[in-house]
Amino acid sequence: SANKLKSITDQQYKHALAFQFTESTEDPEWLKFLIKTRPDLVSEVYIQLAVTSLKAGKNSVTGIYQLAYDKDWLPIVYLTVLPILEQYPVRAKKEQISDLDYLIKAAMRYVKTDLLKLIDKKRQLGSMNIVQHSRWLTAGLLLSPGKYQQPFCDFLENNAARIQMVAGFLTDRIDQWHPDYDKLPEKTIGLFIRYLGSHFTPHYRRISGSYSVTHNMDVADQISAYINILSGKSNKAVTEQLEYLLNLPELGKWKESIQGALYRQRKIVRDKTFLQPDIKQVSQTLKNLEPANPADLMVLTLSHLEDLALRIRDGSTDDYKQYWNTDGHGKITAPKIENICRDTLLSDLKQLLASLKINASKEGDYADNNRADIKVTYGGFNVPVEIKRASHKDLWTALWRQLIEKYSRDPGAYGYGIYLIFWFGTDKIPLPPNGKKPKSASELKQALWNMMSLEERRMIGLCVIDCSINQQRKNI
């Protein structure tokens, strides 16, 4: 009972604690009671025994795991963890590293300020081994990213063994405590993705059936978790970080995951920054007066392009001829090159948009020195227009690899854009993913539409301009 436990002397308790910490693996009720009522006494005995065991080279010390993860041990954590860490052998065996991990994580969880001071002190010890150095440095980065980012990069750069060491510290079981990564700067999360992702490959666990979980699987899960953290944030710095990671050659195996994260993140940004038009703005848009946002600008521009497409295809002035080369007798010979087709179309589009004070220009500048064929701008936002002839080798990929990845991600475009194709007939059309070549402009548009996701259909306009010489035109 509690009364009997209170009658025991401190010396008797110390003997019992010494026996408990060296010979037993389970926590009896009297130990829990003592931790709660006499944390100073328990801490005194435990520190002495733990430090002695660590210096003697014992691979695992009873109780260190509990300091990190057992709430019943919390009363002594504040008194115990830092004193043990201060005396932790700087050249401890690699078999003892798990105990160091537990101690550092307990300190990160409960005594952050004091731990940072200790990290500074430990890093001055030149005799510390590399494995232990990796732990102190990673903990410093997690607690003070601004101070430790550069030392962390310098420590890891192009060193696979050190990256493995850091991965071992960062990878935790799901049921264990882990740092609050959501509060870390985007660049810090990006560093973990960059270094770990360059040496570990994605792994997709089986839904059913038995299999062994390896360290590589755990690290892959951790990298995926970092990518998902970035995908859930809505600021511009995250977009830039994901775009940077996407273009790193060493993360090629993670490209699909990062692309998915970037797509989700951009959607969050669009939803957050989208300005709901008021009644006046809606009325002006409906009257074909002023676009209230990038979505309006895209739809309005697409509407004018479709009007031009009808005029080019069926107009009485045979505008389709403007897109063909002719011989000395005015006879059509071959389609004009893409840039000339663009310039011809742009001339007509500019006239239609000018009355609305909307500007359309060729080769609009976008991020990373990329240029869209046409950039339509109004009121601080813009819509990129990517143009291809149907015979272009990138016909079936440019919508994603150019328009979406390079142009529509512009902050002023909010993810909106237009993909426009000039159709001159079935000649030289590249084989589509489904293996069935379109036989008309409408079939080409439908094929591209079928390849787009629901979200892409909402954000990207499609326009196929039929400049072909059909049956009715053959006698021209």
Side-chain angles (χ1 to χ4, degrees):
S1 66
N3 289 330
K4 288 183 178 180
L5 291 174
K6 289 179 181 178
S7 66
I8 301 174
T9 67
D10 285 1
Q11 193 61 36
Q12 289 174 317
Y13 272 135
K14 288 181 179 181
H15 285 302
L17 287 167
F19 180 83
Q20 172 67 28
F21 293 143
T22 54
E23 301 295 335
S24 180
T25 57
E26 295 184 2
D27 294 351
E29 288 302 317
W30 67 264
L31 176 60
K32 295 178 182 180
F33 171 80
L34 209 57
I35 289 174
K36 186 175 181 180
T37 59
R38 294 294 307 278
D40 55 332
L41 179 66
V42 179
S43 179
E44 178 188 343
V45 175
Y46 187 80
I47 291 170
Q48 182 179 352
L49 287 173
V51 170
T52 300
S53 298
L54 289 168
K55 289 183 176 180
K58 188 174 181 180
N59 291 347
S60 180
V61 179
T62 301
I64 287 184
Y65 179 88
Q66 285 90 325
L67 288 172
Y69 301 115
D70 192 332
K71 291 182 179 179
D72 289 336
W73 282 55
L74 186 55
I76 69 168
V77 170
Y78 301 97
L79 302 171
T80 307
V81 171
L82 279 175
I84 297 176
L85 282 172
E86 287 174 348
Q87 300 178 70
Y88 193 92
V90 293
R91 301 193 68 81
K93 299 186 304 181
K94 67 178 182 179
E95 290 81 7
Q96 296 175 292
I97 201 66
S98 60
D99 278 352
L100 178 61
D101 289 353
Y102 296 145
L103 289 167
I104 290 178
K105 288 173 183 177
M108 289 174 62
R109 191 176 185 182
Y110 299 114
V111 284
K112 295 179 182 179
T113 302
D114 291 331
L115 177 60
L116 272 171
K117 296 176 183 177
L118 182 58
I119 292 172
D120 290 338
K121 180 180 177 181
K122 288 283 186 177
R123 290 193 63 238
Q124 303 303 315
L125 302 175
S127 58
M128 183 187 299
N129 63 40
I130 294 298
V131 178
Q132 192 173 152
H133 192 183
S134 71
R135 268 52 184 174
W136 292 108
L137 191 55
T138 305
L141 178 66
L142 290 167
L143 295 177
S144 182
K147 181 177 181 179
Y148 282 96
Q149 179 171 303
Q150 193 56 53
F152 180 82
C153 293
D154 294 341
F155 176 78
L156 286 190
E157 199 66 47
N158 298 320
N159 193 310
R162 294 183 180 186
I163 290 172
Q164 285 276 4
M165 295 172 195
V166 170
F169 180 75
L170 290 172
T171 306
D172 300 303
R173 296 204 311 259
I174 295 175
D175 61 336
Q176 292 178 344
W177 174 87
H178 53 79
D180 189 353
Y181 294 111
D182 283 326
K183 294 182 179 180
L184 288 176
E186 295 77 16
K187 287 187 177 180
T188 303
I189 298 294
L191 285 178
F192 292 146
I193 296 170
R194 173 189 166 191
Y195 287 117
L196 272 61
S198 65
H199 287 77
F200 293 87
T201 58
H203 174 80
Y204 304 100
R205 302 201 181 196
R206 301 175 192 171
I207 297 175
S208 60
S210 60
Y211 60 94
S212 299
V213 178
T214 66
H215 171 64
N216 286 2
M217 292 180 190
D218 286 335
V219 179
D221 286 347
Q222 191 68 46
I223 297 168
S224 296
Y226 292 144
I227 294 173
N228 288 334
I229 288 170
L230 290 184
S231 73
K233 295 178 178 286
S234 61
N235 58 67
K236 184 179 178 181
V238 174
T239 307
E240 293 174 348
Q241 187 62 217
L242 286 170
E243 290 171 349
Y244 165 73
L245 295 170
L246 187 62
N247 291 314
L248 291 178
E250 62 266 35
L251 293 180
K253 293 182 178 180
W254 291 93
K255 185 172 183 179
E256 184 177 342
S257 296
I258 297 171
Q259 279 180 325
L262 184 58
Y263 179 82
R264 295 190 297 274
Q265 194 269 339
R266 285 174 177 165
K267 184 178 185 301
I268 291 173
V269 172
R270 289 196 298 268
D271 292 343
K272 184 177 180 179
T273 57
F274 179 77
L275 300 176
Q276 185 69 32
D278 56 29
I279 294 176
K280 182 179 179 181
Q281 289 173 320
V282 172
S283 177
Q284 288 176 319
T285 302
L286 293 174
K287 291 178 181 178
N288 205 28
L289 293 177
E290 295 180 14
N293 49 55
D296 285 351
L297 183 60
M298 187 273 284
V299 172
L300 190 59
T301 303
L302 183 63
S303 176
H304 284 299
L305 287 171
E306 289 173 341
D307 288 343
L308 286 172
L310 287 173
R311 185 199 305 174
I312 292 167
R313 187 187 67 195
D314 299 324
S316 59
T317 54
D318 295 333
D319 285 0
Y320 73 94
K321 288 184 178 180
Q322 299 177 76
Y323 298 90
W324 288 81
N325 292 309
T326 57
D327 60 18
H329 302 287
K331 184 178 180 180
I332 287 174
T333 57
K336 290 182 177 179
I337 64 173
E338 191 175 284
N339 284 351
I340 294 179
C341 292
R342 185 243 356 247
D343 292 346
T344 302
L345 179 71
L346 180 58
S347 178
D348 291 333
L349 181 63
K350 285 172 70 76
Q351 292 182 32
L352 293 174
L353 297 178
S355 61
L356 304 174
K357 300 180 181 180
I358 298 172
N359 182 57
S361 58
K362 66 179 180 180
E363 296 186 346
D365 291 330
Y366 284 90
D368 303 324
N369 295 318
N370 292 306
R371 292 176 177 269
D373 289 300
I374 293 176
K375 186 174 187 177
V376 181
T377 56
Y378 178 85
F381 39 83
N382 70 81
V383 171
V385 182
E386 176 61 22
I387 296 175
K388 287 285 181 282
R389 279 185 11 182
S391 58
H392 196 285
K393 63 181 179 63
D394 296 329
L395 170 69
W396 302 106
T397 59
L399 189 156
W400 293 272
R401 294 182 181 175
Q402 289 181 253
L403 180 60
I404 292 178
E405 288 188 14
K406 296 180 179 180
Y407 310 138
S408 69
R409 67 181 172 94
D410 184 83
Y414 290 82
Y416 291 93
I418 295 173
Y419 189 40
L420 186 145
I421 300 113
F422 288 104
W423 171 269
F424 291 95
T426 58
D427 189 34
K428 298 182 180 179
I429 303 296
L431 192 68
N434 65 9
K436 183 180 179 181
K437 286 188 178 183
K439 297 180 180 179
S440 66
S442 60
E443 284 189 13
L444 171 60
K445 184 175 182 179
Q446 186 61 50
L448 285 166
W449 183 259
N450 291 341
M451 293 169 63
M452 298 168 69
S453 68
L454 292 175
E455 177 69 8
E456 289 164 350
R457 292 174 185 176
R458 185 175 74 87
M459 309 297 293
I460 304 297
L462 280 180
C463 181
V464 180
I465 298 181
D466 188 353
C467 300
S468 64
I469 305 174
N470 56 30
Q471 294 295 326
Q472 288 73 26
R473 295 170 176 169
K474 282 188 176 180
N475 59 350
I476 298 175

